[in-house]
Structure formats: C-alpha cells, structure tokens
Coordinates of all heavy atoms in Angstrom, one line a residue:
V90 N 77.6 160.3 -7.7 CA 78.5 159.9 -8.7 C 78.0 160.6 -10.0 O 76.9 160.5 -10.4 CB 78.6 158.4 -8.9 CG1 79.4 158.1 -10.1 CG2 79.1 157.7 -7.7
N91 N 78.9 161.3 -10.7 CA 78.6 161.9 -11.9 C 78.8 160.9 -13.1 O 79.9 160.7 -13.6 CB 79.6 163.1 -12.1 CG 79.2 163.9 -13.3 OD1 78.3 163.6 -14.0 ND2 80.0 164.9 -13.6
V92 N 77.7 160.3 -13.4 CA 77.7 159.3 -14.4 C 78.1 159.8 -15.8 O 78.8 159.1 -16.5 CB 76.3 158.6 -14.5 CG1 76.3 157.5 -15.6 CG2 76.0 158.0 -13.2
M93 N 77.6 161.0 -16.2 CA 78.0 161.5 -17.5 C 79.5 161.8 -17.6 O 80.1 161.5 -18.7 CB 77.2 162.8 -17.8 CG 75.7 162.5 -18.0 SD 74.8 163.8 -18.7 CE 75.1 165.2 -17.6
G94 N 80.1 162.2 -16.6 CA 81.5 162.4 -16.6 C 82.3 161.1 -16.7 O 83.3 161.0 -17.4
K95 N 81.8 160.1 -16.0 CA 82.4 158.7 -16.1 C 82.3 158.2 -17.5 O 83.2 157.6 -18.0 CB 81.8 157.8 -15.1 CG 82.4 156.4 -15.0 CD 81.7 155.6 -13.9 CE 82.5 154.3 -13.7 NZ 81.9 153.6 -12.6
I96 N 81.1 158.4 -18.1 CA 80.9 157.9 -19.5 C 81.9 158.6 -20.5 O 82.5 157.9 -21.3 CB 79.5 158.1 -19.9 CG1 78.5 157.2 -19.2 CG2 79.3 157.9 -21.4 CD1 77.1 157.5 -19.3
A97 N 82.0 159.9 -20.3 CA 82.9 160.7 -21.2 C 84.4 160.2 -21.0 O 85.1 160.0 -22.0 CB 82.8 162.1 -20.9
V98 N 84.8 160.0 -19.8 CA 86.2 159.6 -19.5 C 86.5 158.2 -20.1 O 87.5 158.0 -20.7 CB 86.5 159.7 -18.0 CG1 87.8 159.0 -17.7 CG2 86.6 161.2 -17.6
N99 N 85.6 157.3 -19.7 CA 85.8 155.9 -20.2 C 85.8 155.8 -21.7 O 86.6 155.0 -22.3 CB 84.7 155.0 -19.6 CG 85.0 154.7 -18.1 OD1 86.1 155.0 -17.6 ND2 84.0 154.2 -17.4
T100 N 84.9 156.5 -22.3 CA 84.8 156.4 -23.8 C 86.1 157.0 -24.4 O 86.6 156.4 -25.4 CB 83.5 157.2 -24.3 OG1 82.4 156.6 -23.7 CG2 83.4 157.1 -25.8
T101 N 86.5 158.1 -23.9 CA 87.7 158.7 -24.5 C 89.0 157.9 -24.2 O 89.8 157.7 -25.1 CB 87.9 160.1 -23.8 OG1 86.8 160.9 -24.0 CG2 89.1 160.8 -24.4
I102 N 89.1 157.3 -23.0 CA 90.3 156.5 -22.8 C 90.3 155.2 -23.6 O 91.3 154.8 -24.2 CB 90.3 156.1 -21.3 CG1 90.7 157.3 -20.4 CG2 91.2 154.9 -21.0 CD1 90.6 157.1 -18.9
S103 N 89.1 154.6 -23.8 CA 89.1 153.4 -24.6 C 89.4 153.7 -26.1 O 90.1 153.0 -26.8 CB 87.7 152.8 -24.5 OG 87.6 151.6 -25.3
A104 N 88.8 154.8 -26.6 CA 89.1 155.2 -28.0 C 90.6 155.5 -28.2 O 91.2 155.1 -29.2 CB 88.2 156.3 -28.4
A105 N 91.2 156.2 -27.3 CA 92.6 156.6 -27.4 C 93.5 155.4 -27.3 O 94.4 155.3 -28.1 CB 92.9 157.7 -26.4
A106 N 93.2 154.5 -26.4 CA 94.0 153.3 -26.3 C 94.0 152.5 -27.5 O 95.0 151.9 -28.0 CB 93.6 152.5 -25.0
S107 N 92.8 152.3 -28.1 CA 92.6 151.5 -29.3 C 93.4 152.1 -30.4 O 94.1 151.4 -31.2 CB 91.1 151.4 -29.6 OG 91.0 150.6 -30.7
A108 N 93.3 153.5 -30.6 CA 94.1 154.1 -31.7 C 95.6 154.0 -31.5 O 96.3 153.8 -32.5 CB 93.7 155.6 -31.7
I109 N 96.0 154.1 -30.3 CA 97.5 153.9 -30.0 C 97.9 152.5 -30.3 O 99.0 152.3 -30.9 CB 97.8 154.3 -28.5 CG1 97.6 155.8 -28.4 CG2 99.2 153.9 -28.1 CD1 97.6 156.3 -26.9
V110 N 97.2 151.5 -29.9 CA 97.5 150.1 -30.2 C 97.6 149.9 -31.7 O 98.6 149.3 -32.2 CB 96.5 149.1 -29.6 CG1 96.7 147.7 -30.1 CG2 96.8 149.1 -28.1
V111 N 96.6 150.4 -32.5 CA 96.6 150.2 -33.9 C 97.8 150.9 -34.5 O 98.4 150.3 -35.4 CB 95.3 150.7 -34.5 CG1 95.4 150.7 -36.0 CG2 94.2 149.7 -34.1
S112 N 98.1 152.1 -34.1 CA 99.3 152.8 -34.6 C 100.6 152.1 -34.3 O 101.5 152.0 -35.2 CB 99.3 154.2 -34.1 OG 99.5 154.3 -32.8
I113 N 100.7 151.5 -33.1 CA 102.0 150.8 -32.8 C 102.1 149.5 -33.6 O 103.2 149.2 -34.1 CB 102.0 150.5 -31.3 CG1 102.2 151.8 -30.5 CG2 103.1 149.5 -30.9 CD1 102.1 151.6 -29.0
I114 N 101.0 148.7 -33.7 CA 101.1 147.5 -34.4 C 101.3 147.8 -35.9 O 102.1 147.1 -36.6 CB 99.8 146.6 -34.2 CG1 99.7 146.2 -32.8 CG2 99.7 145.4 -35.2 CD1 98.3 145.5 -32.5
G115 N 100.6 148.8 -36.4 CA 100.8 149.1 -37.8 C 102.2 149.6 -38.2 O 102.7 149.2 -39.2
Y116 N 102.8 150.4 -37.3 CA 104.1 150.8 -37.5 C 105.1 149.7 -37.4 O 106.1 149.6 -38.2 CB 104.5 152.0 -36.6 CG 105.8 152.6 -36.9 CD1 106.0 153.5 -37.9 CD2 107.0 152.2 -36.1 CE1 107.2 154.0 -38.2 CE2 108.2 152.7 -36.4 CZ 108.3 153.7 -37.5 OH 109.5 154.2 -37.8
A117 N 104.9 148.8 -36.5 CA 105.8 147.7 -36.3 C 105.7 146.7 -37.5 O 106.7 146.1 -37.9 CB 105.5 146.9 -35.0
Q118 N 104.6 146.6 -38.1 CA 104.4 145.7 -39.2 C 104.8 146.3 -40.6 O 105.4 145.6 -41.4 CB 102.9 145.2 -39.3 CG 102.7 144.1 -40.2 CD 101.3 143.5 -40.1 OE1 100.4 144.3 -40.1 NE2 101.2 142.2 -40.0
E119 N 104.4 147.6 -40.8 CA 104.6 148.1 -42.1 C 105.6 149.3 -42.2 O 105.9 149.9 -43.2 CB 103.3 148.6 -42.6 CG 102.2 147.5 -42.8 CD 100.9 148.1 -43.1 OE1 100.8 149.3 -43.5 OE2 99.9 147.3 -43.1
R120 N 106.1 149.7 -41.0 CA 107.1 150.8 -40.9 C 106.5 152.1 -41.4 O 107.3 152.9 -42.0 CB 108.4 150.5 -41.6 CG 109.2 149.4 -41.0 CD 109.8 149.8 -39.6 NE 110.6 148.8 -39.1 CZ 110.4 148.3 -37.9 NH1 109.4 148.7 -37.1 NH2 111.2 147.4 -37.4
R121 N 105.3 152.3 -41.3 CA 104.6 153.6 -41.6 C 103.4 153.8 -40.8 O 102.8 152.8 -40.3 CB 104.3 153.7 -43.1 CG 103.2 152.8 -43.6 CD 103.0 152.9 -45.1 NE 101.9 152.0 -45.5 CZ 100.6 152.3 -45.5 NH1 100.2 153.6 -45.2 NH2 99.7 151.5 -45.9
I122 N 103.0 155.0 -40.6 CA 101.8 155.3 -39.9 C 100.6 155.5 -40.8 O 100.7 156.4 -41.7 CB 102.0 156.5 -39.0 CG1 103.1 156.2 -37.9 CG2 100.7 157.0 -38.3 CD1 103.4 157.3 -37.0
D123 N 99.6 154.8 -40.7 CA 98.4 154.9 -41.6 C 97.2 155.5 -40.9 O 96.6 154.9 -40.0 CB 98.0 153.4 -42.0 CG 96.9 153.4 -43.0 OD1 96.6 154.5 -43.7 OD2 96.3 152.4 -43.2
P124 N 96.9 156.8 -41.2 CA 95.8 157.5 -40.6 C 94.5 156.8 -40.7 O 93.6 156.9 -39.8 CB 95.8 158.8 -41.2 CG 97.1 159.0 -41.9 CD 97.6 157.6 -42.2
Y125 N 94.3 156.1 -41.8 CA 93.0 155.4 -42.1 C 92.8 154.3 -41.0 O 91.8 154.1 -40.4 CB 93.0 154.8 -43.5 CG 91.9 153.9 -43.8 CD1 90.6 154.5 -44.1 CD2 91.9 152.5 -43.9 CE1 89.5 153.8 -44.4 CE2 90.9 151.8 -44.2 CZ 89.6 152.4 -44.4 OH 88.6 151.6 -44.7
S126 N 93.9 153.5 -40.8 CA 93.8 152.4 -39.8 C 93.7 153.0 -38.4 O 92.9 152.4 -37.6 CB 95.0 151.5 -39.9 OG 95.1 150.8 -41.1
I127 N 94.4 154.1 -38.1 CA 94.3 154.7 -36.8 C 92.9 155.2 -36.5 O 92.3 155.0 -35.4 CB 95.3 155.8 -36.6 CG1 96.7 155.2 -36.7 CG2 95.1 156.6 -35.3 CD1 97.8 156.2 -36.7
S128 N 92.3 155.8 -37.5 CA 90.9 156.3 -37.3 C 89.9 155.1 -37.1 O 89.0 155.2 -36.3 CB 90.5 157.2 -38.4 OG 90.4 156.5 -39.6
N129 N 90.1 154.1 -37.9 CA 89.3 152.9 -37.7 C 89.5 152.2 -36.3 O 88.6 151.7 -35.7 CB 89.4 151.9 -38.8 CG 88.6 152.2 -40.0 OD1 87.6 152.9 -39.9 ND2 89.1 151.8 -41.1
G130 N 90.7 152.2 -35.8 CA 91.0 151.7 -34.5 C 90.4 152.6 -33.4 O 89.9 152.1 -32.4
L131 N 90.3 153.9 -33.7 CA 89.6 154.8 -32.8 C 88.1 154.4 -32.7 O 87.5 154.4 -31.6 CB 89.8 156.2 -33.2 CG 89.1 157.3 -32.4 CD1 90.2 157.9 -31.4 CD2 88.6 158.4 -33.2
F132 N 87.6 154.2 -33.9 CA 86.1 153.8 -33.9 C 85.9 152.5 -33.2 O 84.9 152.3 -32.6 CB 85.6 153.8 -35.4 CG 85.5 155.1 -36.0 CD1 85.9 155.3 -37.3 CD2 85.1 156.2 -35.3 CE1 85.9 156.6 -37.9 CE2 85.0 157.5 -35.9 CZ 85.4 157.6 -37.2
A133 N 86.8 151.5 -33.4 CA 86.7 150.2 -32.7 C 86.7 150.4 -31.2 O 85.9 149.8 -30.5 CB 87.8 149.3 -33.1
G134 N 87.5 151.3 -30.7 CA 87.5 151.6 -29.3 C 86.2 152.3 -28.8 O 85.7 152.0 -27.7
L135 N 85.6 153.1 -29.7 CA 84.3 153.7 -29.3 C 83.2 152.7 -29.3 O 82.4 152.7 -28.4 CB 84.0 154.8 -30.3 CG 84.9 156.1 -30.3 CD1 84.5 157.0 -31.4 CD2 84.6 156.8 -29.0
V136 N 83.3 151.8 -30.3 CA 82.2 150.7 -30.3 C 82.4 149.8 -29.1 O 81.4 149.5 -28.4 CB 82.4 149.9 -31.6 CG1 81.5 148.6 -31.6 CG2 82.0 150.7 -32.8
G137 N 83.6 149.5 -28.8 CA 83.8 148.6 -27.6 C 83.5 149.2 -26.3 O 83.0 148.5 -25.4
S138 N 83.7 150.5 -26.1 CA 83.5 151.1 -24.8 C 82.0 151.3 -24.6 O 81.5 151.5 -23.5 CB 84.2 152.4 -24.7 OG 83.7 153.4 -25.6
S139 N 81.2 151.3 -25.7 CA 79.8 151.7 -25.5 C 79.0 150.6 -24.7 O 77.9 150.9 -24.2 CB 79.1 152.0 -26.9 OG 79.1 150.8 -27.6
A140 N 79.5 149.4 -24.7 CA 78.8 148.4 -24.0 C 78.8 148.6 -22.5 O 77.8 148.3 -21.8 CB 79.4 147.0 -24.3
G141 N 79.9 149.1 -21.9 CA 79.9 149.2 -20.5 C 80.5 150.5 -20.0 O 81.0 150.6 -18.9
C142 N 80.4 151.6 -20.8 CA 81.0 152.8 -20.4 C 80.5 153.5 -19.1 O 81.2 154.2 -18.4 CB 81.0 153.8 -21.5 SG 79.3 154.3 -22.1
A143 N 79.2 153.2 -18.8 CA 78.6 153.8 -17.6 C 78.9 153.0 -16.3 O 78.9 153.6 -15.2 CB 77.1 153.9 -17.8
T144 N 79.3 151.7 -16.5 CA 79.5 150.9 -15.3 C 80.9 150.4 -15.2 O 81.2 149.7 -14.2 CB 78.5 149.7 -15.4 OG1 78.8 149.0 -16.6 CG2 77.1 150.1 -15.3
M145 N 81.7 150.6 -16.2 CA 83.1 150.1 -16.2 C 84.1 150.9 -15.4 O 83.9 152.2 -15.4 CB 83.5 150.0 -17.7 CG 84.8 149.2 -18.0 SD 85.1 149.2 -19.7 CE 83.8 148.2 -20.3
T146 N 85.1 150.3 -14.9 CA 86.1 151.1 -14.2 C 87.0 151.8 -15.3 O 87.0 151.4 -16.5 CB 87.0 150.2 -13.4 OG1 87.7 149.2 -14.2 CG2 86.2 149.5 -12.3
T147 N 87.8 152.7 -14.9 CA 88.7 153.4 -15.8 C 89.7 152.5 -16.3 O 90.1 152.5 -17.5 CB 89.3 154.7 -15.2 OG1 88.3 155.5 -14.6 CG2 90.1 155.5 -16.1
E148 N 90.3 151.6 -15.5 CA 91.3 150.6 -15.9 C 90.6 149.7 -16.9 O 91.3 149.2 -17.9 CB 91.8 149.9 -14.7 CG 92.6 150.7 -13.8 CD 91.8 151.5 -12.8 OE1 90.5 151.3 -12.7 OE2 92.3 152.3 -12.1
G149 N 89.4 149.3 -16.7 CA 88.7 148.4 -17.6 C 88.5 149.1 -18.9 O 88.6 148.4 -20.0
A150 N 88.2 150.4 -19.0 CA 88.1 151.1 -20.2 C 89.4 151.1 -21.0 O 89.4 150.9 -22.2 CB 87.6 152.5 -20.0
L151 N 90.5 151.2 -20.3 CA 91.8 151.2 -20.9 C 92.1 149.8 -21.5 O 92.5 149.7 -22.7 CB 92.9 151.5 -19.9 CG 94.4 151.5 -20.4 CD1 94.6 152.6 -21.4 CD2 95.3 151.6 -19.2
V152 N 91.8 148.7 -20.8 CA 92.0 147.4 -21.3 C 91.1 147.1 -22.4 O 91.5 146.5 -23.4 CB 91.8 146.3 -20.1 CG1 91.8 144.9 -20.7 CG2 92.9 146.5 -19.1
T153 N 89.9 147.6 -22.3 CA 88.9 147.4 -23.4 C 89.5 148.0 -24.7 O 89.4 147.5 -25.8 CB 87.6 148.0 -23.1 OG1 87.0 147.3 -21.9 CG2 86.6 147.9 -24.2
G154 N 90.0 149.2 -24.6 CA 90.5 149.9 -25.8 C 91.7 149.2 -26.4 O 91.8 149.1 -27.6
L155 N 92.6 148.7 -25.5 CA 93.8 148.0 -26.0 C 93.3 146.7 -26.7 O 93.9 146.4 -27.8 CB 94.7 147.6 -24.8 CG 95.3 148.7 -24.0 CD1 96.0 148.2 -22.8 CD2 96.2 149.5 -24.9
L156 N 92.4 146.0 -26.2 CA 91.9 144.7 -26.8 C 91.1 145.0 -28.1 O 91.2 144.3 -29.1 CB 91.1 143.9 -25.9 CG 91.9 143.3 -24.7 CD1 90.9 142.6 -23.7 CD2 93.0 142.4 -25.1
C157 N 90.4 146.1 -28.1 CA 89.6 146.5 -29.3 C 90.5 146.8 -30.5 O 90.3 146.5 -31.6 CB 88.7 147.7 -29.0 SG 87.2 147.2 -28.1
G158 N 91.6 147.5 -30.2 CA 92.6 147.9 -31.2 C 93.2 146.6 -31.8 O 93.4 146.5 -33.0
A159 N 93.6 145.7 -30.9 CA 94.2 144.5 -31.4 C 93.2 143.6 -32.2 O 93.6 143.1 -33.2 CB 94.7 143.7 -30.2
A160 N 92.0 143.6 -31.7 CA 90.9 142.8 -32.5 C 90.7 143.4 -33.8 O 90.5 142.7 -34.8 CB 89.7 142.7 -31.6
Y161 N 90.6 144.7 -33.9 CA 90.4 145.4 -35.2 C 91.5 145.1 -36.1 O 91.3 144.7 -37.3 CB 90.2 146.9 -35.0 CG 90.5 147.6 -36.3 CD1 89.6 147.6 -37.3 CD2 91.7 148.3 -36.5 CE1 89.8 148.2 -38.6 CE2 92.0 148.9 -37.8 CZ 91.0 148.8 -38.8 OH 91.3 149.4 -40.0
F162 N 92.7 145.2 -35.7 CA 93.9 145.0 -36.6 C 93.9 143.6 -37.1 O 94.2 143.3 -38.2 CB 95.2 145.4 -35.8 CG 96.3 145.7 -36.8 CD1 96.5 146.9 -37.3 CD2 97.1 144.7 -37.2 CE1 97.5 147.2 -38.1 CE2 98.2 144.9 -38.1 CZ 98.3 146.2 -38.5
L163 N 93.6 142.6 -36.2 CA 93.6 141.2 -36.5 C 92.5 140.9 -37.6 O 92.8 140.3 -38.6 CB 93.4 140.3 -35.3 CG 93.3 138.8 -35.6 CD1 94.6 138.3 -36.1 CD2 92.8 138.1 -34.4
L164 N 91.3 141.4 -37.4 CA 90.2 141.2 -38.3 C 90.5 141.9 -39.6 O 90.1 141.3 -40.7 CB 88.9 141.6 -37.7 CG 88.4 140.7 -36.5 CD1 87.2 141.3 -35.9 CD2 88.2 139.3 -37.0
S165 N 91.0 143.1 -39.6 CA 91.3 143.8 -40.9 C 92.4 143.0 -41.6 O 92.3 142.9 -42.9 CB 91.8 145.2 -40.5 OG 92.1 145.9 -41.7
W166 N 93.4 142.5 -40.9 CA 94.4 141.7 -41.6 C 93.8 140.4 -42.2 O 94.2 140.0 -43.3 CB 95.5 141.4 -40.6 CG 96.6 140.4 -41.1 CD1 97.6 140.7 -41.9 CD2 96.6 139.0 -40.9 NE1 98.3 139.6 -42.2 CE2 97.7 138.5 -41.6 CE3 95.8 138.2 -40.1 CZ2 98.1 137.2 -41.6 CZ3 96.2 136.8 -40.1 CH2 97.3 136.4 -40.8
M167 N 92.9 139.8 -41.5 CA 92.3 138.6 -42.0 C 91.5 138.8 -43.3 O 91.5 138.0 -44.2 CB 91.4 137.9 -40.9 CG 92.2 137.3 -39.8 SD 91.2 136.6 -38.5 CE 90.2 135.4 -39.4
L168 N 90.8 140.0 -43.3 CA 90.0 140.3 -44.5 C 90.9 140.5 -45.7 O 90.6 140.1 -46.8 CB 89.2 141.5 -44.3 CG 87.9 141.4 -43.4 CD1 87.2 142.7 -43.3 CD2 87.0 140.3 -44.0
C169 N 92.1 141.2 -45.5 CA 93.0 141.4 -46.6 C 93.7 140.1 -47.0 O 93.9 139.9 -48.2 CB 94.1 142.4 -46.1 SG 93.5 144.1 -46.0
T170 N 94.0 139.2 -46.0 CA 94.7 138.0 -46.3 C 93.8 137.1 -47.2 O 94.2 136.5 -48.2 CB 95.1 137.2 -45.0 OG1 95.9 138.1 -44.3 CG2 95.7 135.9 -45.3
Y171 N 92.5 137.0 -46.8 CA 91.6 136.1 -47.5 C 90.8 136.8 -48.7 O 89.9 136.3 -49.3 CB 90.6 135.5 -46.6 CG 91.2 134.6 -45.6 CD1 91.3 134.9 -44.2 CD2 91.8 133.4 -46.0 CE1 91.9 134.0 -43.3 CE2 92.4 132.5 -45.1 CZ 92.5 132.9 -43.8 OH 93.1 132.0 -42.9
E172 N 91.3 138.0 -49.0 CA 90.8 138.8 -50.1 C 89.2 139.0 -50.0 O 88.5 138.9 -51.0 CB 91.2 138.3 -51.4 CG 92.7 138.3 -51.6 CD 93.2 137.7 -52.9 OE1 92.3 137.2 -53.7 OE2 94.4 137.7 -53.1
I173 N 88.7 139.3 -48.9 CA 87.3 139.6 -48.7 C 87.2 141.1 -48.8 O 87.8 141.9 -48.1 CB 86.8 139.1 -47.3 CG1 87.0 137.5 -47.3 CG2 85.4 139.5 -47.1 CD1 86.7 136.9 -45.9
D174 N 86.3 141.6 -49.6 CA 86.1 143.0 -49.9 C 85.3 143.7 -48.8 O 84.1 143.4 -48.6 CB 85.5 143.2 -51.3 CG 85.5 144.6 -51.7 OD1 86.4 145.4 -51.3 OD2 84.6 145.0 -52.5
D175 N 85.9 144.6 -48.1 CA 85.3 145.5 -47.1 C 86.0 146.8 -47.2 O 87.0 147.0 -46.5 CB 85.3 144.9 -45.7 CG 84.5 145.7 -44.7 OD1 83.8 146.6 -45.2 OD2 84.6 145.4 -43.6
V176 N 85.6 147.6 -48.1 CA 86.3 148.8 -48.4 C 86.6 149.7 -47.2 O 87.7 150.3 -47.1 CB 85.6 149.6 -49.5 CG1 86.3 150.9 -49.9 CG2 85.4 148.8 -50.8
T177 N 85.6 149.9 -46.4 CA 85.8 150.8 -45.3 C 86.1 150.1 -43.9 O 86.1 150.8 -42.9 CB 84.5 151.7 -45.1 OG1 83.4 150.8 -44.8 CG2 84.2 152.5 -46.3
D178 N 86.4 148.9 -44.0 CA 86.7 148.1 -42.8 C 85.6 148.2 -41.7 O 85.9 148.2 -40.5 CB 88.0 148.5 -42.2 CG 89.2 147.7 -42.7 OD1 89.0 146.8 -43.5 OD2 90.3 148.0 -42.3
T179 N 84.4 148.2 -42.1 CA 83.3 148.3 -41.2 C 83.1 147.0 -40.4 O 82.8 147.1 -39.2 CB 82.0 148.5 -42.0 OG1 82.1 149.7 -42.8 CG2 80.8 148.8 -41.1
C180 N 83.3 145.9 -41.0 CA 83.1 144.6 -40.2 C 84.2 144.5 -39.1 O 83.8 144.2 -38.0 CB 83.1 143.4 -41.1 SG 81.6 143.3 -42.1
P181 N 85.5 144.7 -39.4 CA 86.4 144.6 -38.3 C 86.2 145.6 -37.2 O 86.4 145.3 -36.0 CB 87.8 144.9 -39.0 CG 87.6 144.5 -40.4 CD 86.2 144.9 -40.7
V182 N 85.7 146.8 -37.5 CA 85.5 147.8 -36.5 C 84.3 147.4 -35.6 O 84.5 147.4 -34.4 CB 85.1 149.2 -37.2 CG1 84.6 150.2 -36.1 CG2 86.4 149.8 -37.8
H183 N 83.2 147.0 -36.2 CA 82.1 146.7 -35.4 C 82.1 145.3 -34.8 O 81.6 145.1 -33.6 CB 80.8 146.9 -36.2 CG 80.5 148.4 -36.5 ND1 81.0 149.0 -37.6 CD2 79.9 149.3 -35.7 CE1 80.7 150.3 -37.5 NE2 80.0 150.5 -36.4
V184 N 82.6 144.3 -35.5 CA 82.6 143.0 -34.9 C 83.7 142.9 -33.8 O 83.5 142.4 -32.7 CB 82.9 141.9 -36.0 CG1 83.1 140.5 -35.4 CG2 81.7 141.9 -36.9
G185 N 84.9 143.4 -34.2 CA 86.0 143.3 -33.2 C 85.7 144.2 -32.0 O 85.9 143.7 -30.9
G186 N 85.3 145.4 -32.2 CA 85.0 146.3 -31.1 C 83.8 145.8 -30.3 O 83.8 145.8 -29.0
G187 N 82.8 145.3 -31.0 CA 81.6 144.9 -30.3 C 81.7 143.6 -29.4 O 81.3 143.6 -28.3
V188 N 82.4 142.7 -30.0 CA 82.6 141.4 -29.2 C 83.5 141.7 -28.0 O 83.2 141.2 -26.9 CB 83.2 140.3 -30.1 CG1 83.6 139.1 -29.3 CG2 82.2 139.9 -31.2
V189 N 84.6 142.4 -28.2 CA 85.5 142.7 -27.1 C 84.8 143.5 -26.1 O 84.9 143.3 -24.9 CB 86.8 143.4 -27.6 CG1 87.6 143.9 -26.5 CG2 87.6 142.4 -28.4
G190 N 84.0 144.5 -26.5 CA 83.3 145.3 -25.6 C 82.3 144.6 -24.7 O 82.2 144.8 -23.5
M191 N 81.6 143.6 -25.3 CA 80.6 142.9 -24.6 C 81.3 142.0 -23.5 O 80.8 141.9 -22.4 CB 79.8 142.0 -25.5 CG 78.7 142.8 -26.3 SD 77.6 141.7 -27.2 CE 78.6 140.7 -28.2
V192 N 82.4 141.4 -23.9 CA 83.1 140.5 -23.0 C 83.8 141.3 -21.9 O 83.6 140.9 -20.7 CB 84.2 139.7 -23.8 CG1 85.1 138.9 -22.8 CG2 83.5 138.7 -24.7
T193 N 84.4 142.4 -22.2 CA 85.1 143.1 -21.1 C 84.1 143.9 -20.2 O 84.4 144.2 -19.1 CB 86.1 144.1 -21.7 OG1 85.5 145.0 -22.6 CG2 87.3 143.4 -22.4
A194 N 83.0 144.2 -20.8 CA 82.0 144.9 -19.9 C 81.5 144.0 -18.8 O 81.3 144.4 -17.7 CB 80.7 145.3 -20.7
A195 N 81.5 142.7 -19.0 CA 81.2 141.7 -18.0 C 82.3 141.6 -16.9 O 82.0 141.4 -15.7 CB 80.9 140.4 -18.6
F196 N 83.5 141.8 -17.3 CA 84.6 141.6 -16.4 C 84.9 142.9 -15.6 O 85.4 142.8 -14.5 CB 85.9 141.2 -17.1 CG 85.9 139.7 -17.6 CD1 85.8 139.4 -18.9 CD2 85.9 138.7 -16.6 CE1 85.7 138.1 -19.3 CE2 85.9 137.4 -17.0 CZ 85.8 137.1 -18.4
F197 N 84.7 144.0 -16.2 CA 85.2 145.3 -15.5 C 84.1 146.1 -15.0 O 84.2 147.3 -14.8 CB 86.0 146.1 -16.5 CG 87.3 145.4 -16.9 CD1 87.5 145.0 -18.2 CD2 88.3 145.2 -15.9 CE1 88.7 144.3 -18.6 CE2 89.5 144.5 -16.3 CZ 89.7 144.1 -17.6
T198 N 82.9 145.6 -14.8 CA 81.8 146.3 -14.2 C 82.0 146.5 -12.7 O 82.4 145.6 -12.0 CB 80.5 145.6 -14.5 OG1 80.3 145.4 -15.9 CG2 79.3 146.3 -13.9
T199 N 81.7 147.8 -12.3 CA 81.9 148.1 -10.8 C 80.7 147.7 -10.0 O 79.6 147.6 -10.5 CB 82.2 149.6 -10.6 OG1 81.1 150.3 -11.2 CG2 83.5 149.9 -11.2

C-alpha cells in the first residue's frame, strides 16, 4: 500500500470538501463568496485531516472535510456574534478542525 499517496489524497479531499462547504454556507447566508472564509475553511479541512490521513478511508476524509467546514463556520459565527476578537479566525480553524478530526479519525480508520 502506498501510504504517501493515500495521505496526499485524503488530505486534498478533506481540504477541498471543507472549502466547498464553507463557500456554500457563506453564499446561502450572505449572498456573496468570501475568499477569506473559504481559505480558512480549507485550512480547517487540512487541520482535521491530519489526525487520521494515513489510516482513514477516502470516504472518511470526505466526511471529515464536510464536518470541519461546518464546524469552522459555526465557530467563526459564534465569535462574531459574541464579539470575541480573533482577527485571523485562528481559533475556529484549529479548534473546529482539530476536534472534528480527532473524532472522525476514530470512526473512519481502516
């Protein structure tokens, strides 16, 4: 089994799925596409996939990315709602992606 190839595929799928979810939710909510949020969604997918990218199935990487994007968007919205200052959205990216990644790594390990 080519582990490095599996890592590259799973990481890319998770990041892309997360960016797509963030762009869809953002467009549905604000009627515009925000590149800043999309790039942070991409990073959330990368953070989430790193927990189990070598052992996770490809479908699991897709689900991880989808959930990481939703978690990032929810946490970013909460910070804005409660007026907590996080200029670069670092906490939603790493907390949302990290927690979802740890949980899904346990469920989708081959």
Side-chain angles (χ1 to χ4, degrees):
V90 174
N91 186 0
V92 177
M93 290 192 306
K95 185 176 186 176
I96 290 170
V98 168
N99 285 346
T100 304
T101 304
I102 287 174
S103 181
S107 182
I109 290 169
V110 164
V111 170
S112 64
I113 290 171
I114 294 172
Y116 186 78
Q118 191 174 46
E119 300 174 9
R120 294 289 184 236
R121 68 182 181 93
I122 294 176
D123 183 18
Y125 176 76
S126 293
I127 293 172
S128 64
N129 277 336
L131 180 97
F132 291 138
L135 290 172
V136 169
S138 70
S139 64
C142 61
T144 59
M145 190 179 291
T146 63
T147 306
E148 295 83 8
L151 178 68
V152 173
T153 299
L155 296 173
L156 294 175
C157 284
Y161 160 74
F162 201 88
L163 175 68
L164 290 173
S165 179
W166 173 79
M167 287 176 62
L168 287 180
C169 289
T170 301
Y171 294 112
E172 298 179 358
I173 299 171
D174 188 27
D175 186 7
V176 178
T177 59
D178 270 357
T179 305
C180 288
V182 167
H183 289 91
V184 172
V188 169
V189 168
M191 286 189 304
V192 171
T193 58
F196 286 110
F197 297 113
T198 299
T199 56

